[in-house]
Amino acid sequence: MLSRLFAPKAKVSAHCDLPCGVYDPAQARIEAESVKAVQEKYQANDDSDFRARAITIKEQRAELAKHHVSVLWSDYFKPPHFEKYPQLHALVNDTLKALSAAKASNDPATGAKALELIAEIDRIFWETKAA
């Protein structure tokens, strides 16, 4: 009975415990820069232990970059942004797919492609902040 009395009346969720309203594509960019740097280091090193660690780190960083892009898409960008930038849905989708490709590849070109797309999200983000 006490558990029903003190049970929460509404369920809420956010990207963090306390919705801060602080969003920045720089978080995704920094993680994607790590992905590309690790891909380059992987290519320059033949040590199998080093390469195994590099793959683990690259995959973790790619997943973090995907998370940050997803948070922008689901929590920051609103209908007026999508109206003004009709390409935004496709851009976010393409960016997430590029990050998945970088996660699965050791070719620095895949990391560079993800960074290129994140830069476009960054441009749109700062235009919306200035408006």
Side-chain angles (χ1 to χ4, degrees):
M1 177 160 165
L2 285 177
S3 63
R4 282 184 286 162
L5 180 64
F6 293 107
K9 303 295 183 228
K11 182 178 179 178
V12 298
S13 62
H15 79 279
C16 60
D17 291 337
L18 178 65
C20 57
V22 176
Y23 302 97
D24 194 328
Q27 295 171 302
R29 180 188 48 78
I30 290 166
E31 299 300 349
E33 285 176 354
S34 294
V35 169
K36 184 174 176 277
V38 169
Q39 290 170 322
E40 291 168 346
K41 289 176 185 265
Y42 178 94
Q43 295 299 329
N45 196 312
D46 291 332
D47 179 84
S48 61
D49 291 333
F50 177 89
R51 284 182 153 204
R53 286 193 339 255
I55 289 170
T56 299
I57 292 166
K58 172 192 55 113
E59 290 177 354
Q60 290 170 343
R61 298 297 175 220
E63 199 59 41
L64 285 169
K66 288 172 61 175
H67 168 76
H68 291 304
V69 170
S70 295
V71 166
L72 287 170
W73 180 76
S74 63
D75 295 356
Y76 174 76
F77 290 118
K78 304 289 185 238
H81 301 139
F82 294 113
E83 290 169 16
K84 184 171 182 182
Y85 302 95
Q87 77 279 23
L88 191 51
H89 283 299
L91 175 61
V92 168
N93 185 59
D94 291 347
T95 304
L96 293 171
K97 298 235 182 263
L99 286 163
S100 291
K103 180 179 175 182
S105 173
N106 294 314
D107 181 358
T110 61
K113 179 63 178 176
L115 281 166
E116 174 186 314
L117 293 167
I118 290 169
E120 181 62 14
I121 291 172
D122 185 72
R123 182 190 66 76
I124 291 172
F125 173 84
W126 287 108
E127 285 181 12
T128 65
K129 293 290 276 191

